[in-house]
Amino acid sequence: MKIKASDRRRHRVHLVQRYGPGSDYYVRVSVQGRRYMQSTGLNRIEEARRKAAQMIQHWKRGEPVAKLRAESPTLAAVLAEFRQRTPMLRTRTRSDYENSLRLVVREGLGLPELEDAAVEERRVSVLTRQLARDFELRRLSSARPESVDAVRRSVADYLRQARGVFTRELLGDYEDLGLLHAREVEGFVGYRVKLPKGSKPGPNPPSDAEIVPLLNGLPALRDTDPVVFVVVQIALRTGLRRSEISRLQWDWFQERADGRWLKFPPGAAKNRRCDEVPIAPELIEVLDWWKAVASSPVFVVPSAREHAVGLRAASVFTRASAWLRPFVGTRRFTLHALRAYLAARAVKQFGLGVAQSWLRHSDPNTSQMYAGASKLGGKFVELPKST
């Protein structure tokens, strides 16, 4: 249904975005001597026009139009709920998500001078596909020709972090609270930056020539720093992230007919899924030895702060990085490099599908969604032999 030209002239129909670009359209009209101004609940002009035409017909018949929510919630209200719903996130990670969202809104609207408080006063209805697109275009407009690909990657990263406030699980919580509906941000959440093929640098995993000396050094490490020895073995044979290793608990390991598996409880893994990882026989021996001598009956990696909000046992990971560094000279080498190495070996041995199941990526910009741990089929990555 369209607004008739006669109605438009007679009733002086206006459609306005009362709260700025990207917000819901309001219909302002005078019908039979009465003036109306009411939200259509839509921020797309064609849909808002059809809705306005229906509303006018009701008013002409003297029928009231059920009022929609006056306007979508403010970003401040959503961010406050986001903080309460994500206690498992590190403070820095949560702050990165919030700051990225503010930056996208500020630059997407072309108002870089806005303070954080002013940004949070904006309504969620500003989060549209066009806003994300404008943010990308404004960033690219000031980029040098040789840095365009790098800027595109930067934009993609900012948008990915901003979407962290609107994950599928969080949107479900927001809907249950009546805070907002997923459709209100579907355009913003669904927007993806088109990166040229091969423009994003992949991981730079260690070579076999670098790993063999590392394997040769592990027996000595077991005697000098046993907890770092265990951490390196876990990273090397499972590909777990540093934060996942720090939270690892003994009762997450399960004995099954096809061997021992690690099953993350909800919220423990980075992607907050109940991921499962098979444990190689060599690592089982290490874990059985370590459990018998470890000081913590709960956590695999002991820490003076057993239930720290941030990274537990941070000093252990600092020592692990320091021990790894000499094996690659000046190149940066961390526990995450072992994760990349495991993935590279898995691609060679089993193919891309198994490798991405090992990585357990959930962001479609990072890797495609795969079937999960069942795709691993109890396979283990074969490491080069120590000398």
Side-chain angles (χ1 to χ4, degrees):
M1 178 184 292
K2 295 183 178 180
I3 303 175
K4 297 179 181 179
S6 57
D7 283 344
R8 190 179 299 114
R9 291 191 299 270
R10 184 183 310 151
H11 304 301
R12 292 175 292 179
V13 180
H14 299 277
L15 279 171
V16 294
Q17 288 181 301
R18 191 175 178 185
Y19 294 94
S23 63
D24 291 351
Y25 280 94
Y26 276 68
V27 57
R28 187 171 62 200
V29 63
S30 177
V31 178
Q32 298 174 355
R34 295 191 59 182
R35 299 183 67 181
Y36 298 89
M37 186 167 183
Q38 191 166 324
S39 172
T40 63
L42 301 165
N43 57 19
R44 298 174 184 172
I45 185 62
E46 293 302 327
E47 296 176 1
R49 283 172 178 162
R50 289 193 290 269
K51 181 66 177 178
Q54 296 171 2
M55 296 166 73
I56 290 170
Q57 295 305 313
H58 281 282
W59 287 326
K60 288 173 68 175
R61 294 193 296 267
E63 300 171 355
V65 175
K67 284 195 174 183
L68 304 172
R69 188 180 58 215
E71 184 66 24
S72 53
T74 62
L75 292 174
V78 174
L79 290 177
E81 193 61 35
F82 166 70
R83 296 180 194 111
Q84 292 184 8
R85 297 278 170 172
T86 54
M88 76 294 294
L89 291 180
R90 288 187 296 169
T91 303
R92 179 177 175 180
T93 301
R94 191 182 302 111
S95 177
D96 286 344
Y97 288 179
E98 295 179 15
N99 289 334
S100 294
L101 181 61
R102 296 187 191 101
L103 177 68
V104 171
V105 172
R106 186 183 291 118
E107 295 193 9
L109 293 175
L111 301 171
E113 72 285 353
L114 278 184
E115 299 291 339
D116 286 353
V119 172
E120 293 185 14
E121 289 175 0
R122 298 277 171 160
R123 302 284 175 172
V124 169
S125 55
V126 305
L127 300 179
T128 63
R129 181 181 180 85
Q130 187 60 47
L131 178 86
R133 177 64 174 160
D134 289 344
F135 172 69
E136 178 184 1
L137 293 176
R138 286 191 170 96
R139 284 259 158 168
L140 290 174
S141 66
S142 58
R144 296 189 302 272
E146 65 273 15
S147 63
V148 167
D149 286 350
V151 172
R152 286 189 190 277
R153 290 195 298 270
S154 174
V155 169
D157 288 340
Y158 278 124
L159 289 174
R160 175 181 56 79
Q161 290 192 325
R163 291 195 299 271
V165 180
F166 302 99
T167 63
R168 186 181 296 108
E169 295 83 2
L170 288 170
L171 283 174
D173 292 340
Y174 299 156
E175 289 187 9
D176 292 342
L177 292 170
L179 190 62
L180 62 88
H181 194 278
R183 70 171 179 81
E184 297 181 68
V185 293
E186 63 182 357
F188 178 79
V189 172
Y191 184 79
R192 295 293 184 271
V193 177
K194 293 182 179 179
L195 298 173
K197 188 175 181 180
S199 68
K200 185 173 183 178
N204 184 21
S207 64
D208 288 346
E210 294 168 328
I211 289 295
V212 169
L214 184 152
L215 294 174
N216 292 336
L218 284 175
L221 179 63
R222 175 172 172 166
D223 297 331
T224 58
D225 200 338
V227 64
V228 170
F229 166 76
V230 172
V231 166
V232 172
Q233 286 278 20
I234 293 173
L236 186 59
R237 299 186 183 276
T238 65
L240 296 186
R241 302 171 176 92
R242 188 177 68 162
S243 60
E244 295 167 343
I245 297 175
S246 76
R247 293 193 292 264
L248 205 56
Q249 299 186 25
W250 291 112
D251 57 4
W252 294 358
F253 294 94
Q254 301 177 352
E255 295 291 344
R256 302 183 185 176
D258 56 348
R260 188 177 300 181
W261 286 72
L262 166 64
K263 183 175 182 179
F264 287 98
K270 181 182 177 182
N271 54 26
R272 297 190 285 278
R273 295 198 307 257
C274 299
D275 283 339
E276 297 181 342
V277 180
I279 304 301
E282 297 85 354
L283 183 56
I284 291 177
E285 294 181 8
V286 172
L287 292 174
D288 288 345
W289 162 77
W290 179 241
K291 188 174 184 180
V293 300
S295 59
S296 173
V298 178
F299 292 96
V300 175
V301 182
S303 172
R305 301 170 63 202
E306 286 292 283
H307 300 281
V309 175
L311 182 71
R312 296 182 61 262
S315 62
V316 174
F317 296 98
T318 300
R319 299 202 305 272
S321 296
W323 183 81
L324 290 168
R325 197 171 297 120
F327 293 102
V328 291
T330 58
R331 184 158 68 87
R332 188 169 182 264
F333 192 13
T334 64
L335 285 174
H336 206 77
L338 299 182
R339 173 177 166 83
Y341 174 77
L342 186 74
R345 296 284 297 188
V347 169
K348 294 178 182 178
Q349 294 179 33
F350 307 122
L352 181 61
V354 172
Q356 291 194 335
S357 291
W358 271 102
L359 292 173
R360 295 172 294 114
H361 282 146
S362 57
D363 192 319
N365 274 349
T366 308
S367 65
Q368 300 175 13
M369 293 290 288
Y370 275 75
S374 60
K375 200 173 184 76
L376 297 175
K379 299 173 182 176
F380 310 108
V381 176
E382 181 181 347
L383 300 179
K385 301 298 183 183
S386 56
T387 57

